[in-house]
């Protein structure tokens, strides 16, 4: 596991109030593979709160990713849903948990808010 991954999971509880504003609740097990080793994270989500631990356990959903891909996700260089659709990672269970969890990942570098882009375009026409 990389230091960036460790910091990412440690930051979840602090960031949860702004990221998890909906009614999502459940447990997501994240399995990160490196070679023949798999590291497990259990993420318990509820509105405005997250708890994460380094364990396996009963979960409503399981997401497998390589450690390398996960490092790209936490820097915004890759997107979680695109990785699942391209079969770069696998997911089973309650998809709402993945959709909620992906909000913790940053936007790709250089991404701009569409509203900001539209305001600038309107300003140029004036």
């Amino acid at each position: 596991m990389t230091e960036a991954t460790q910091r990412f999971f440690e930051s979840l509880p602090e960031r949860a109030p702004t990221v998890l504003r909906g009614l999502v609740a459940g447990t997501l097990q994240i399995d990160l593979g490196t070679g023949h080793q798999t590291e497990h994270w259990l993420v318990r989500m509820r509105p405005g709160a997250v708890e994460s631990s380094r364990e396996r356990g009963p979960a409503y959903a399981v997401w497998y990713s390589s450690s390398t891909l996960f490092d790209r996700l936490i820097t915004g260089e890759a997107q979680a849903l695109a990785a699942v659709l391209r079969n770069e990672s696998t997911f089973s269970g309650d998809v709402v948990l993945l959709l909620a969890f992906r909000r913790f990942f940053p936007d790709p570098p250089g991404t701009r808010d569409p509203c900001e882009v539209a305001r600038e375009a309107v300003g140029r026409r004036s």
Side-chain angles (χ1 to χ4, degrees):
M1 170 187 55
T2 65
E3 185 179 326
T5 298
Q6 179 74 32
R7 282 194 319 263
F8 174 79
F9 281 104
E10 288 172 355
S11 76
L12 295 180
E14 180 182 316
R15 296 171 51 215
T18 58
V19 174
L20 294 179
R21 290 178 273 183
L23 296 177
V24 67
T27 303
L28 171 64
Q29 179 176 305
I30 300 172
D31 296 335
L32 302 177
T34 305
H36 296 291
Q37 288 187 323
T38 302
E39 298 174 356
H40 306 284
W41 288 90
L42 204 57
V43 179
R44 293 174 184 91
M45 294 183 273
R46 63 184 190 277
V50 169
E51 297 171 12
S52 65
S53 61
R54 296 286 315 271
E55 56 188 67
R56 290 177 85 168
Y60 296 105
V62 178
W63 180 26
Y64 173 82
S65 171
S66 69
S67 295
T68 305
L69 173 60
F70 199 79
D71 282 344
R72 291 177 51 227
L73 292 167
I74 62 178
T75 60
E77 296 173 24
Q79 298 297 306
L81 287 181
V84 170
L85 293 173
R86 285 193 304 265
N87 207 28
E88 294 175 349
S89 66
T90 59
F91 181 82
S92 63
D94 187 350
V95 72
V96 171
L97 297 175
L98 177 62
L99 295 175
F101 186 77
R102 74 182 175 131
R103 290 188 235 146
F104 284 103
F105 297 126
D107 292 327
T111 301
R112 296 179 57 205
D113 181 349
C115 294
E116 177 185 320
V117 173
R119 280 188 216 104
E120 288 176 5
V122 169
R124 283 192 296 263
R125 283 189 247 156
S126 302

